[in-house]
Each structure stands twice: as C-alpha cells, then as structure tokens.
Amino acid sequence: MEKNRKPIIAIVSLTCCEGCQVAILDLGERFLNVVQQVTIGDFAFLEDKPELPNYDVVFVEGAPISKENIIRLKNLRERSKFLVALGACASLGGIAEIKNYQDKEERMRYVYKNVESINNPDIKPISHYVKVDFEIPGCPVNSEEFLRVSESLIAGILPKIPQRPVCYDCQLKQNKCLLQEGQPCLGPIILGGCEAPCPSSFYPCDGCRGPLKDVNPDNLNKQLVKQGYQQEEIDFIAQRFGIEDEIYPEPPAKI
Amino acid sequence: MHIKIDHIAKIEGHAGFTADIVNGQVKKARVDIQEGARLLEGILRDRSIFEVSQISARICGVCPVVHNLTSLKALEKALNIEVSERTILLRKLMMMGQIINSHALHLFFFSLSDFFGGEDDLDLIKKYPKRASDALSLRGFGNKLIEVIGGRSIHPLTPTVGGFLKMPDKKKLGEIFEKCGEAEKSAQNLASLFLGLKYPQFVRAASYVSLNHLKEYAFYGDLVKISGEEKESPAEFLRIVQEYQLQNSVAKHSYYQGKPFMVGALARINNNAKQLNPEAKKRLKSAKINWPSFNPFYNILAQAIELIHCVEEAKKLLHQILLKDLSKNDLAEKETIIGARVKSIKNSVSGAAAIEAPRGTLYYFYEIGEHGKIKNCNIITPTAQNMARLERDLEEYLPMIIGKKATKKQIEEKIKMLIRAYDPCITCATH
C-alpha cells in the first residue's frame, strides 16, 4: 500500500439477511472510529455514492445465489487486494445451503409458480468461485472479532483465528456442559472464538462458525448416537449452516 | 422518458427501479428485486418444529426477533400451547427492542439524508453529531433489551416453543430500566428533528392494514384491522390475501380483495393512534397533521412517534417484569405437554400467527405433520405486502415530479426518497 493514502475498504453483500453488516454497525462509535481511518469504497448501509474502482479490502457477506451475485463476486475479486468472507453464508453457504440436502427443484416449485427465470444453483461458499484471503466466521459474526481482524487486514496483515473448539470459550465462561447433559452440542468440533453465546443461552452449538481444521467428526457423531439421537437428527443440525459437506467431503461410511 | 436506477442504497437488501413515461403518462413503474431466491418456505419443510424458528430468524438481520417470535407463535397456535403471562411480557419487551433499533437505523441512517439531498451519512453525522449519538444510543438500548432476554441481539437464542430456554438476569433488566429516561430523551430529540422536517406533499387513497388490540397499541397481537373498522383473524386474513409472483421476480406482491394496501408505522398510527402512550400521543398531536394521513412520506414521521411510544412501553413492561419471579423457568413442565401434543398428531395440525414487525404486519402459517415435522409453510412479510402499494404510489407520484425543470438526478432522488420512506426490506420481501 502506498504511503500517505488511507486504505480503501468496501462492505458488500450478496444474498443473505445482512445481519453481519448490522453486527458491524452495532459497534456504534467504535465502528465509526475505524471508518475515520479509511476511505469507504462502497457500503450501501451508510452511503449512496458511486462505488470506487479498487479496494484494499473488500468484505463480502452472503451467499452467491443469483447469476448476478456470482458475476459481482468475481468482479469484486478482480478489483480488490484482500477479499474477506464475512459470516457463515459467505464462508460456509449458510442456511440457504439447506436445499442442497433436499430436492432443490421441488423446493423451488413449492415457492414459485414461474420458475424459469430464477437461478437455483447448489449453494457453495464464495471460495468455490474466487480466491478468499480470509474468512470471518459466524452467524452473525462476532463484532469484537470483526474489529480485531479488520484492523489487522486494513494494516495489510493477514490475521489468525486460533484453532480452538467452542468448548474452549464455553469453559472460560464456566458454562455447564450441554453435551454432558445429553444435548446435541457440536461445540467440540466447531471453531471457537465466538465467546460461546449459544451454550451460554442453553442453546447447543449448531456449528455456524464451521468445523475446526482437519477435525474428525466421527467420535462426536458416535457419542450423539449413543445418547439416543437418530442419525437424521444429527445430520439436520450439521446441514443448518451448510457444514455437513465440509465435515464429510466424501459421503460418510455408515457408523 | 426512461428512468433506470441500478441500485438503491440505504435500504435493507438489493433493489433497483425502472419506469417508462410516455407523454407524461407513466407506463410502467417497477421496483426491481436483485436478490437470489433462498426458498425459506421450501427449506423449512420436513424439518423439526424445534429448529425452524431459528432458521427463519435468518430471513432478516435487521428484524430477526419478529421472525423468530412470529414463527414460534404460529407453531404454538398449531399445537394449542399456551405460554405464560411472563413469557408474553418478555416477548413483548424483546419486540420493543426490535422496533426501537430498527426505527433508529431507518430514521437516522437511511431516510434522513433524503431531506438534504445528501448521499453520505458520514456528512450527516458531522452535521448532527448529537442526533447521531441519540440514534446510536437508542440502537444500543434496543439491542440490550434483546440481548439480555434473547442471549444475543441478532438472531436471538433463548426463545423456543412454549417459552424461553433461559430466563433473563433480573439485575441486568434492572440496569436497562435505569436507562429508560435517557432513552426517552433520545427518542424525543429524534422526534423533534423529524417533526421539524419538510415532507413532500403527496396524498393518495390507500387502505391501511395493521394489527389491532382492544387494550393496547398492537404489536404482539391480536386481530388484523383493515382501514376503518373491518377486522379479521390472522388465519382468515391469510386466506383472503392474494400473493402474486410477477414474471422474472423473486419477490411476490400482495392484494387484499383485489387492492394493494400499506402496512407499517403509518398504518399502525392511522388505525390505532388513540392507544399510543401519553408522550407519543402528545408529540403526534403537535405535528398538526390530520390523522389518518394518506401521505406515505409520513411513514417516516410515524416511526419517529413510535420510537417514543416504544421506549415508554419498554419502561412499563420492564416495571411489570421486574415485579415477577424470574428465578424459575416454566419450560420443563411445558416440554411434556409439547411432547404429548406432537405425539398425538394424527395427520396434521395447522396454525397461523401475526406480529407487527418494524415495517408492518408479519404472518406465519405452519402445517405440522407427524413427529413434529413441518409439512407446509407460508410466510408473508411486510415488504411483500407493501410492494404493490409502493409501485402504485410511484406511478401516481412520478407525474408530479417530472417536468417542472427537474433534472434527472432530482427526479431519481425523489423516487429513492419515496421508496426509502416505506423502509423496504428486500431480503424479507424475497426470503
């Protein structure tokens, strides 16, 4: 990055709920302080100006669903130094991916009468289409984590999120273990750093931050089956944010 | 003349606008939806009643609370589950948080710049630093309410079929109660700003639809009120309302008895102004506008008035809740009832529910089959209902703003201002 020039950042969304942008905005004054240090190239929540041609960092939220989403994503890649996946939809596929595990054509016909002109691709993370430099996980993202990693990215340094399970965060909070209580918690195999808001609310982890690197999900799966869960119930949880195909790139051997 | 706006910023989701005007006559005015189809109503099918409300909250990151709660209400209706008074109070309080944070976002960050022809909120923040911090602190206040009860402000975690997984910390609720005065002041300040603005004068005939309750300014229930005195149950309204899919569009349009209608803050004030809380009522009176109003731009003003109402309401609810025992969760007892109801489903059971979301009435319908799996689902969002009325408004408004030496940019700004006055949420409209 040339000296004496403010870095140019953009926050862009494809198809999603836009909750990650809301999470960022909810940093309030702290986010506005970051904004002072950069030039905003595009952030439709705050301005209605023509977008700037190139970005140092572009944060992309949402899943590529429509043809236009995919064109936009590729175009953003060409115009940006760092492309960052913001949240579960961009980095995993998110809830829109549930249809991948169903009869997606039937789902389309159920919702729409005129289906010819509506795109219905399998939902893939944005890394399927373009090179992604960094992923900020979560549904929604943890705004503190966003602040931390975005400061690093804006300085031109790729940050790191430690490979620790959600259980690590949960223990720091001294929560009771939901898994030990017999609940279907995916905490042991999911990337932590979220401060465990779900288990802290007695809501078992359902994997919105994606699996730990090279994790073997089989032990947890066996444990849940032993606790009395049907395989279908376990699969449904893993499908919720689109991680089933991440933890089982090959169809799993019957356990 | 052909008008095309590729992308309208400062709304939730993605949309553009096109219109053709021939000899001063508007041939077509259309809001172009630019979202992918997430097929929410489809993907919820065959899934369990215990997870669908978490998935459907993800329809919208600005109003996840109302999606979550309307979904739960529809499931409870279908299963004939009654929730405790305490649960209802806590849900209502979460909803106040939701309306407050959504209105504060829309008023200051989305709509205000339209009154100054400005394009950048950062300029507005410099121009109105105190009002900016009012808007931010109101968002903070609303978020805190949701977070303390729901476990998280975006996509709350504790609400579940029959009640809450975890009860809120009374001490934290007490801390929010202490902040009510400050929040009320911020809401008053923002309302003063919006009462002092000059609104375009555009009056047209339209029906207004909102919920209505005998005892209170309706948000959580009960019946659907259609301009005047006509009232229906949510289930009956869903039966009558017609949804059309336009060619090439992923968002549907809604008509009631063949006519487009408007939902949202203006509809609520038009239908239920008498039930506003005292401070809100006082400010409404000071606006010197004849209510009901048929100027859609006053939807912005109506939100500012509701901001005061909702802070007053939050204070009342907090007071009531703080008098209650929150140490014990009553869900365990409910779980057996819910389990038994699910087991007793022979073929299917169904239920519909409605809640006032920030942008208008939100409807959920579920048919639940054996083992508590969703068989059928229908979700009608406020923006999907408003879309036909908005396009009709644009058709009627355009002839008033073209000509008169208006530049293309000025015309586009006026179009965007009207669209933003509706506070559309395109991700909700598509879902």
Side-chain angles (χ1 to χ4, degrees), chain A residues 38-65:
Chain A
V38 299
T39 301
I40 295 285
D42 188 19
F43 185 23
F45 258 32
L46 284 187
E47 43 79 33
D48 194 5
K49 292 192 284 205
E51 48 186 71
L52 297 177
N54 295 99
Y55 309 132
D56 292 298
V57 186
V58 62
F59 297 91
V60 181
E61 170 199 47
I65 300 184

Side-chain angles (χ1 to χ4, degrees), chain B residues 122-189:
Chain B
L122 300 174
D123 298 337
L124 270 184
I125 292 167
K126 278 184 200 138
K127 190 175 158 112
Y128 292 108
K130 288 195 176 132
R131 294 302 82 81
S133 66
D134 283 328
L136 287 175
S137 78
L138 278 168
R139 270 198 73 78
F141 178 80
N143 283 340
K144 200 78 199 163
L145 282 171
I146 303 168
E147 194 186 306
V148 169
I149 304 169
R152 181 166 65 189
S153 68
I154 303 167
H155 306 325
L157 298 151
T158 58
T160 189
V161 183
F164 287 91
L165 293 174
K166 187 181 179 181
M167 296 306 273
D169 182 342
K170 215 169 184 177
K171 196 168 145 253
K172 286 185 182 161
L173 287 176
E175 285 164 17
I176 307 178
F177 186 73
E178 298 296 316
K179 295 252 166 76
C180 285
E182 204 180 296
E184 206 173 313
K185 216 179 225 169
S186 291
Q188 289 277 13
N189 290 341

Side-chain angles (χ1 to χ4, degrees), chain B residues 262-277:
Chain B
M262 186 173 183
V263 296
L266 182 58
R268 291 190 287 258
I269 290 210
N270 276 343
N271 284 347
N272 303 324
K274 281 182 190 149
Q275 292 164 304
L276 282 167
N277 282 322

Side-chain angles (χ1 to χ4, degrees), chain A residues 62-64 73 85 88-94 97 100 122-130 132 135 242 245-246:
Chain A
L73 174 62
C89 295
S91 48
L92 297 169
E97 196 181 306
N100 289 17
D122 266 1
I123 303 300
K124 302 283 182 196
I126 61 172
S127 59
H128 175 80
Y129 298 98
V130 296
V132 172
E135 288 174 356
D245 60 347
E246 303 254 338

